[in-house]
Structure formats: structure tokens, C-alpha cells
Amino acid sequence: MPTPSSTFRISGDLLVRRLGFGAMHLPTEPAADRARAVAVARRAVELGVTLIDTAYLYGGGANEELLVEALHPYPDGLTVTTKVGVERSADSGEWGLDGRPAVLRAQVERALRRLRVERIELLQLHRIDPATPLADQIGTLRELRAEGKIGRIGLSEITVAELDRAREIVDIASVQNRYNLLDREHEPVLAACAAAGIAFLPWRPVAAGAAGERAEIAAVAAELGATPTQVSLAWLLGHAPVVLPIPGTARTDHLEENLAAADLRLSPSQRDRLDRLDRLDRPDDMADPQP
């Protein structure tokens, strides 16, 4: 059984293991890659993952359908959280923010059908649409929750002020912002979540390629007989009890490496050394896929 520190109750009642899985990188085609992706998703659940993150943006629902192929009927205790609020233009084919109530409602209805569930236990707004009043966006999700189609409401890539405004309208169960050992721009948002008991799901929980290049992280990894990725995830898990990392991968060996981080324990001295690391410069971030 997981220790109490390895689990978290989202909204105080939805029990998940804190180290989850981000499905964004799972390929849905061609057939051979899809088969491997299905195997990775199944292996994640075999290893005890109970929180899997996906979104409509990931292939226009194809990622959700992949998870259904791999995991439906879902085992007891598994939560698949998805995101809405980004839509593809019928004219240009480009993705853009769209938080209009009719769009959000239609996307939730389609997600219910794709995921083959009667209720999405945790539904997150992928981004706040600046062209639509926040009250309309959050209010629509609140209505869908009242209708029993959503269990809990989350937000993604927000500021403390936006979180405060949203909480005036409805209870917020989770926040999904970019955050990792080398990128702590959203520390104030994490602090606000910790104070309110709101789950904080860091996307890009490991700075790809950078963790192994930082001497201090590599040194701690060598001391523990671990990898820099594992050290980075262990740091996150120990940083605040509301942090629920969702590292993603399309490889089973990387999945197993990531999940083994749950058993890694940093000493106070090691944690202090990591805490002092400067935040990574991010000049190319805007070119990266955004979970």
C-alpha cells in the first residue's frame, strides 16, 4: 500500500497517487507506434499510476481515444483528467483559445463520449481565453458540474490573481502550470495552491535535457545511485504535499525510471543544495508544445 505521503485527495475526496502520468507524448499512429503507446499506458496502470492527464488538444481527441483503447473499462481508482478550451479553426486548421460557453459545453459532451464515462472526475480549462469573460468560462464549467457531467474543475497556466477570481465563482480543485526544479516562475501560484489545499499538477515536471547537465543535480543523483530525472521528480514530491507531477513518455523504460522516483528520498542537505539552484532560462519555451 502507498504511504500517506505518496497520495493526495483532490478536493479532499478524490484519492490519487501523487506521481501520475502525462499522456501527451503517446503517439496515436502509425499502427506500430500506437501499439507501443497502448503498452506504455497499460504499464503505467500496472505500476500503480492512478492519475493520467490528457486533453482534447492532443490530436483533437485522438489521445483520449488511445487511452480508451488501452484502459477501458477503467480499473477502480483510475482517474483520467482531460482539458477543454482550445479549438481548431475550420478555416485555417490552426489551434487557438476558445472559451465561449457553447464551445466548452460541446467539448465536454464530446469528451464524455470519447472517454466512455458519464462524468469526468477532473476537467481542466486548458487556458483562460482572454476574449471571453472569465465568469462565462468558469460559470459554464460550474453549470456542467451541477449537471453531473464534471466532478471537479481545474485550471491551467494561470496567475495567482486569476486563481483568486476563479475561486470567487466556483471551487477550484487543481492547477496545472509549467514548473520544475530549474523553472520556478510559478512558485507564487504553487504557494497559493498549497495554502488552499489545491492540487498542483506541474507540466514539464523535468527540464528536458537540462537536469543532467547541471552539476549539482548530477552530483546528488550520483550520491543516490539514481538518475537526474529521478532526482528532479523526487525534489518535486518533497517540495509541497499538493504537488502531483505528471511526467510523460512514450517509452516503457523511461516510464519505469520516472515512477521509481516515488521511492527516492533526498536528505535535508541534498534538498537544500537543490533548493538553491537558479531557475533555468527559457528562451525557447514558446516554441515547445504546451500541455
Side-chain angles (χ1 to χ4, degrees), residues 14-284:
L14 180 61
L15 181 67
V16 297
R17 294 194 69 167
R18 289 179 58 206
L19 192 51
F21 176 68
M24 183 184 75
H25 296 294
L26 293 180
T28 58
E29 54 185 33
D33 288 345
R34 185 183 184 91
R36 285 189 287 270
V38 166
V40 169
R42 289 175 176 168
R43 182 61 175 153
V45 174
E46 288 174 359
L47 292 174
V49 166
T50 59
L51 177 65
I52 296 180
D53 175 81
T54 184
Y56 172 57
L57 175 63
Y58 309 161
N63 194 265
E64 295 169 329
E65 292 168 348
L66 174 76
L67 292 175
V68 170
E69 177 182 337
L71 303 172
H72 194 274
Y74 306 115
D76 290 343
L78 177 64
T79 296
V80 177
T81 174
T82 193
K83 298 183 283 293
V84 297
V86 183
E87 189 57 275
R88 176 177 282 164
S89 168
D91 298 325
S92 68
E94 297 294 321
W95 290 93
L97 301 182
D98 196 335
R100 291 174 296 172
V103 171
L104 295 180
R105 183 171 286 276
Q107 289 190 352
V108 169
E109 294 287 358
R110 292 198 299 268
L112 287 166
R113 292 194 294 271
R114 278 193 301 270
L115 292 170
R116 300 185 193 175
V117 294
E118 295 183 357
R119 183 171 88 159
I120 298 169
E121 292 299 334
L122 176 60
L123 187 285
Q124 300 178 101
L125 184 64
H126 210 139
R127 295 288 188 275
I128 292 175
D129 177 7
T132 303
L134 179 64
D136 290 352
Q137 298 175 70
I138 303 300
T140 299
L141 299 183
R142 181 182 60 190
E143 291 170 4
L144 288 162
R145 190 183 69 174
E147 294 166 17
K149 296 176 180 178
I150 294 173
R152 298 154 194 83
I153 297 168
L155 303 173
S156 181
E157 208 60 9
I158 60 166
T159 65
V160 173
E162 288 168 337
L163 176 60
D164 289 342
R165 288 168 55 204
R167 293 182 68 204
E168 293 174 356
I169 300 169
V170 72
D171 294 336
I172 298 300
S174 69
V175 168
Q176 187 168 335
N177 278 24
R178 187 193 63 246
Y179 185 88
N180 58 59
L181 173 57
L182 298 177
D183 180 358
R184 308 183 205 176
E185 176 185 356
H186 294 295
E187 191 76 43
V189 181
L190 170 55
C193 288
I198 296 170
F200 185 88
L201 283 64
W203 66 264
R204 197 184 299 159
V206 177
E213 297 170 2
R214 296 298 287 263
E216 200 63 67
I217 301 175
V220 171
E223 292 165 12
L224 294 170
T227 67
T229 292
Q230 290 172 330
V231 168
S232 298
L233 291 171
W235 179 85
L236 279 173
L237 289 168
H239 190 54
V242 299
V243 174
L244 279 59
I246 46 171
T249 181
R251 291 175 47 176
T252 301
D253 57 339
H254 286 169
L255 169 73
E256 294 173 351
E257 173 190 342
N258 291 342
L259 295 181
D263 298 321
L264 194 64
R265 298 291 178 265
L266 302 175
S267 71
S269 173
Q270 290 167 336
R271 180 164 294 282
D272 182 64
R273 287 152 58 192
L274 296 173
D275 285 345
R276 292 199 300 267
L277 288 175
D278 293 332
R279 181 169 62 85
L280 180 68
D281 291 332
R282 297 171 287 103
D284 298 322

